[in-house]
Amino acid sequence: MDANCGNSASVTRIGDLLVLEEAGARLVIACDSVGGIGPKPADTVAIDARSVGHFAARVPLMEVLCAGATPLMVVNNLCVEAEPTGREMIDAVRGLAESVGVPPGRVTGSTEDNVETRATGIGVTVIGRLSQDAPAGGSRSQDVVVCLGWPRSAPEDDIYLGRPDLVDLGHLARALRSGLIHDAWPVGSKGIRWEGTQLAQAAGLALRWADDNPVPIDRSGGPASCVLISCDEDELSRIRAFFSEELPITVVGRLASDATDG
């Protein structure tokens, strides 16, 4: 989708991202929301406020990082009071943002202090800067497609801070900056099969799934619990070094110029 924004700016949608281009600058905008999950009496799923803030910010931050952009600002709009629930959520958002290079002074937002709230709600928007030479669909034929982490989603799974099979954003940011990863796609509710197909199509390639792949490719990835990357197979050991030994890292397929190309 292309749309004019004023006389000189254009907006393009790439997946769940908006890319704003004006006067040589390229900004990417990602957002996510969480409602009915939290510590309040009317919440459907009970979880602490800090975890709500963390996972609400995790998805858009990961989308911006995987697009090859540098996160610049984070906006959190909280449908809860500032104290105590809002403060815990804000601290979590700031902490996660700082782990990928966004200082606390570039995190802003608002809270609801005029009326009592009996359910938790939060919306997070992340703004990042995309370099002019950032590739779109940088995967190459014969790249392996690798799942970093494991697809997890509540309420089937217990999602918590520090879970060892959820990819860490700080580790991922450093791996992406290394130049060893050709492309990266977060896995959300549509699952690995969907995201893997999108990764391949972005580069005009086909994805051949590994016959012995142990990862459930049709299972929801929830709050971007895992990430698909493409890379040279010979570089995989160097990429592994950016992550904890507990994180599952699994080759799920290989890219080819067509579905039968070996």
Side-chain angles (χ1 to χ4, degrees):
M1 179 197 78
D2 292 318
N4 289 328
C5 181
N7 295 323
S8 60
S10 66
V11 177
T12 305
R13 183 179 295 276
I14 303 177
D16 292 331
L17 292 172
L18 287 181
V19 180
L20 171 66
E21 300 188 49
E22 182 175 16
R26 300 172 73 197
L27 298 178
V28 296
I29 303 168
C31 59
D32 195 36
S33 60
V34 175
I37 302 174
K40 289 189 168 290
D43 283 325
T44 303
V45 178
I47 191 172
D48 64 280
R50 185 173 183 82
S51 294
V52 177
H54 174 95
F55 286 109
R58 174 185 173 89
V59 174
L61 278 168
M62 186 175 289
E63 288 177 342
V64 167
L65 288 169
C66 289
T70 301
L72 298 177
M73 299 185 69
V74 179
V75 181
N76 58 84
N77 291 313
L78 309 184
C79 300
V80 297
E81 77 289 347
E83 297 289 350
T85 311
R87 176 55 50 199
E88 294 179 34
M89 295 167 73
I90 292 167
D91 287 346
V93 172
R94 285 178 174 166
L96 187 62
E98 194 166 11
S99 76
V100 297
V102 182
R106 291 190 177 185
V107 178
T108 187
S110 64
T111 56
E112 176 54 78
D113 294 289
N114 294 309
V115 299
E116 179 186 7
T117 55
R118 298 184 58 79
T120 303
I122 177 176
V124 178
T125 299
V126 177
I127 301 171
R129 181 178 59 241
L130 195 62
S131 66
Q132 289 296 325
D133 58 353
S139 300
R140 306 164 189 172
S141 180
Q142 297 305 310
D143 275 358
V144 289
V145 176
V146 181
C147 181
L148 305 175
W150 200 265
R152 298 291 185 190
S153 180
E156 291 82 5
D157 297 304
D158 184 14
I159 306 295
Y160 57 88
L161 299 180
R163 178 163 180 148
D165 57 2
L166 270 60
V167 65
D168 179 271
L169 253 66
H171 296 167
L172 177 64
R174 288 190 286 275
L176 290 169
R177 287 195 296 267
S178 72
L180 300 172
I181 294 173
H182 299 157
D183 204 356
W185 287 70
V187 177
S189 59
K190 292 181 178 178
I192 289 172
R193 186 190 301 275
W194 168 268
E195 302 296 355
T197 301
Q198 300 305 302
L199 181 151
Q201 289 180 348
L205 300 170
L207 174 55
R208 300 180 64 207
W209 297 101
D211 293 334
D212 57 350
N213 171 32
V215 184
I217 63 174
D218 292 311
R219 199 173 190 279
S220 170
S225 59
C226 55
V227 177
L228 292 181
I229 64 166
S230 61
C231 65
D232 188 316
E233 188 171 13
D234 293 338
E235 301 289 7
L236 188 52
S237 61
R238 294 176 63 190
I239 292 172
R240 286 180 184 273
F242 287 98
F243 301 92
S244 73
E245 294 181 357
E246 297 173 295
L247 183 74
I249 297 180
T250 313
V251 175
V252 297
R254 186 181 295 273
L255 296 170
S257 57
D258 61 60
T260 58
D261 183 8

